[in-house]
Amino acid sequence: VEHRHSNFSSFLESNYLSLARPFTVVTIPFHYPSCFSLFSYESTFKIPLDLWLPGFPLFLSYRATNNPKTHFSHSLAHTGSPGVHPSREIISAFNMVYRTIALLLLAASCHVQVAATQQNDLVLPPRSGGGSTALGMVLIQESSFPIAGYQQWALALQQWAAVDSNVSLWIGLPQFPDDAVTLAGLATALPRIESELQAAGMPANTPLVLAAFGASGSVLLSFANTTTSTPNVAGLALLGYAIPTSLELGPALSQLPLLSIAGTLDGEATIVALAAALHRQDLQAARDARTTRQTGEPQATGVLQAVVAIEGMSHCQWSTTPPAAALARDLLPELTPLAARNQSARAVSMFIGVLAGRAAARGVLGGLVNASRVLVAPIVDALLLEGFAGFAPPCYQPHAGPCAAGSAWLSTTAQAILGGLNGTQAAVANTDLFWPVNEVFPHDYLPLINDTCPSPAQPCTLHTRTVTELYYTAQSVAAAEMMAKLNSRQRVLQHAGQPVPSFNVTDAGPRCAEINAAAYAWALARSSPATRARFERIGRPLVMVADTDIIVYPLWSSRRLSFTAAGSTVQVQAPTMRFATGEPLVGGLHFCKLLSPARAIEWVYVDGIRPQ
């Protein structure tokens, strides 16, 4: 049975004690507050004293209970036959020794098999039977996550590194003041923990892997982007963290092997963020390959940079003691804690093996990356359909490389739905243009139609243009909304040669909602079967409701696409403005705040299944 908190009782019993021996207990009262106040259950720990006092069949027993007066009672036990007690003289003689040992054990009880320092750093020497190649790793805690909670994961990583890659992995976890990771604190902690690792026996100049959990990955990236004081760094590992697509990797980072790994049910480093990071990396690799073919010079960014997704793992499963606030934000995992720990640790061990020069590890890691590409493919397709700025900025912005001219969703689907040409001989071939919707000088780009069909009875294609601006917030990876200016249905039907329709018939009603419903349906259809089944089981469906009519343009541009909880569903409402073809300047235009297909799929994969 696994608990959210470490079960030290099972750990100690499996490592130190066989319960097959009979024993009796003589209790010596002893009370000592400790980190075990975190426990919400009772445990009894039995540690044989003959480990320290050979020839004396005694062992120490203490019981931890969590109640309003949390305390620990400790006992001496005799491992002889039942009913045979050590004399009171022996008990008295060992009383001082017992108390000394008890204090030492309690001081170490939260750090079993761990060397403690004055800074409360944790140092984990390689496990016995480690590999022939020595590597070091510094694990940076996530802010508010106690470092002791990462111990089980670190021990699993050491085991897999030894088994899979023949690597003896030295691990150090520096303690940050108040569990708050800062750039200044990191600069101080790294040389300190490296010295402690060497004091514990790690050879000098051992290559180091710098790893960070959760949001501390951003601190580690900032440090690695700017520092030149750690020449023995062999690579970086970001655990439960996805590199933002807005982050530019500097020269120092682009030359370091880099691993980014997170669970598909991570509520912080979401699968959508991981998908964006993986595809951006693939785009950069493709550009580097083209440059290499053209110039014959390998690019610096050609070093190993891997992104891996662990299916079914949540954010808090990296730790055995996650804070309550993190648990509340996280998604519900579908892996057991043990499975999550082993799968993630083994994936990281493959990265360690690559750094140690193991060819087999490189192959396995490549397979994990390819499997991750399959997992995130629907999300990448949705981001591409949106015109995600993290892959290429809109062309109206300054850019050095490729840019995005417009949204494929508007070009292929949105204008066609609003045009309403189903059942006619005409069709729409739309080209979307990214442009700030509030800009009127020097250009005020508006939707247009370039053709008029000569006869409604003949096949005809209308070449149209729409104008879109993507609006991003910190609450989602995909665009929070698509601010779209389209051609009205009335205008499209007129150019298609249809009888002049009434504007109240063609453009009244939930036209924007119809487009948003199509985006939501696309997301559900493209999600993986497991994801859709999960969403249908525990998710909150989106329901499109009637558009909100806005009569003043500044109010339309500032009013956001709204998401409102309504029982077990969430209602989506789009602000809209529409103009009949006879109106001056803006006649034949229809403005919509649209749901991006990428935002819809992010709802299905992440936000729609959050516990809160």
Side-chain angles (χ1 to χ4, degrees), residues 45-421:
F45 307 89
K46 306 173 183 67
I47 304 176
L49 290 185
D50 54 9
L51 292 176
W52 295 276
L53 303 173
F56 291 90
L58 299 172
F59 61 86
L60 173 69
S61 174
Y62 60 95
R63 182 169 59 91
T65 60
N66 191 355
N67 54 45
K69 296 182 179 180
T70 301
H71 71 276
F72 302 87
S73 62
H74 303 264
S75 306
L76 278 177
H78 174 52
T79 59
S81 302
V84 179
H85 297 266
S87 68
R88 292 294 174 181
E89 290 75 13
I90 293 178
I91 293 297
S92 176
F94 278 110
N95 195 7
M96 183 61 68
V97 175
Y98 162 74
R99 290 177 181 273
T100 302
I101 292 175
L103 285 172
L104 291 174
L105 289 174
L106 285 166
S109 62
C110 284
H111 312 302
V112 178
Q113 291 186 330
V114 174
T117 71
Q118 290 182 350
Q119 295 83 10
N120 295 318
D121 298 340
L122 303 185
V123 173
L124 288 164
R127 307 187 75 172
S128 59
S132 60
T133 302
L135 283 177
M137 173 176 275
V138 179
L139 287 175
I140 309 302
Q141 67 184 118
E142 184 172 7
S143 292
S144 78
F145 281 69
I147 60 173
Y150 296 118
Q151 179 183 323
Q152 289 190 23
W153 186 89
L155 292 173
L157 176 60
Q158 287 180 318
Q159 178 182 357
W160 286 117
V163 170
D164 288 334
S165 300
N166 195 29
V167 170
S168 289
L169 187 62
W170 296 79
I171 296 180
L173 292 94
Q175 174 67 60
F176 286 78
D178 300 320
D179 291 325
V181 178
T182 64
L183 190 60
L186 180 58
T188 302
L190 286 179
R192 183 183 78 234
I193 197 70
E194 184 176 8
S195 297
E196 292 166 3
L197 285 166
Q198 292 176 0
M202 185 181 79
N205 300 317
T206 297
L208 289 177
V209 180
L210 303 185
F213 291 100
S216 295
S218 63
V219 180
L220 179 58
L221 288 175
S222 297
F223 176 83
N225 247 339
T226 58
T227 187
T228 58
S229 60
T230 52
N232 61 330
V233 173
L236 304 179
L238 308 174
L239 315 174
Y241 182 78
I243 301 176
T245 55
S246 59
L247 178 66
E248 293 296 329
L249 302 183
L253 270 180
S254 63
Q255 298 180 33
L256 278 175
L258 177 63
L259 171 68
S260 178
I261 179 172
T264 59
L265 294 174
D266 192 313
E268 299 290 341
T270 69
I271 185 61
V272 179
L274 204 68
L278 176 55
H279 189 68
R280 188 184 78 152
Q281 189 171 291
D282 287 343
L283 292 174
Q284 183 61 53
R287 287 193 290 268
D288 290 345
R290 286 195 299 270
T291 302
T292 299
R293 288 194 301 269
Q294 294 168 359
T295 65
E297 298 179 0
Q299 301 301 297
T301 51
V303 300
L304 173 67
Q305 294 189 343
V307 177
V308 173
I310 303 298
E311 192 166 11
M313 182 180 180
S314 71
H315 188 77
C316 289
Q317 286 186 307
W318 293 99
S319 169
T320 57
T321 57
L327 284 168
R329 293 191 305 268
D330 206 6
L331 304 183
L332 298 177
E334 293 178 349
L335 290 180
T336 66
L338 180 62
R341 183 161 60 246
N342 278 326
Q343 290 187 32
S344 58
R346 193 168 195 192
V348 176
S349 79
M350 293 303 164
F351 180 68
I352 298 295
V354 172
L355 299 182
R358 308 295 191 256
R362 181 177 289 272
V364 174
L365 184 61
L368 292 173
V369 174
N370 287 332
S372 301
R373 287 192 181 98
V374 174
L375 287 175
V376 304
I379 301 171
V380 172
D381 289 343
L383 292 169
L384 291 171
L385 202 54
E386 172 187 287
F388 181 56
F391 295 158
C395 291
Y396 65 80
Q397 292 182 352
H399 55 278
C403 66
S407 169
W409 178 247
L410 269 293
S411 294
T412 62
T413 306
Q415 181 61 79
I417 292 174
L418 184 56
L421 290 176

Side-chain angles (χ1 to χ4, degrees), residues 555-582:
L555 294 180
W556 175 82
S557 66
S558 60
R559 181 79 66 87
R560 299 301 169 202
L561 184 70
S562 67
F563 293 76
T564 305
S568 61
T569 67
V570 172
Q571 295 179 345
V572 181
Q573 189 169 46
T576 185
M577 292 186 74
R578 45 186 182 246
F579 307 93
T581 53

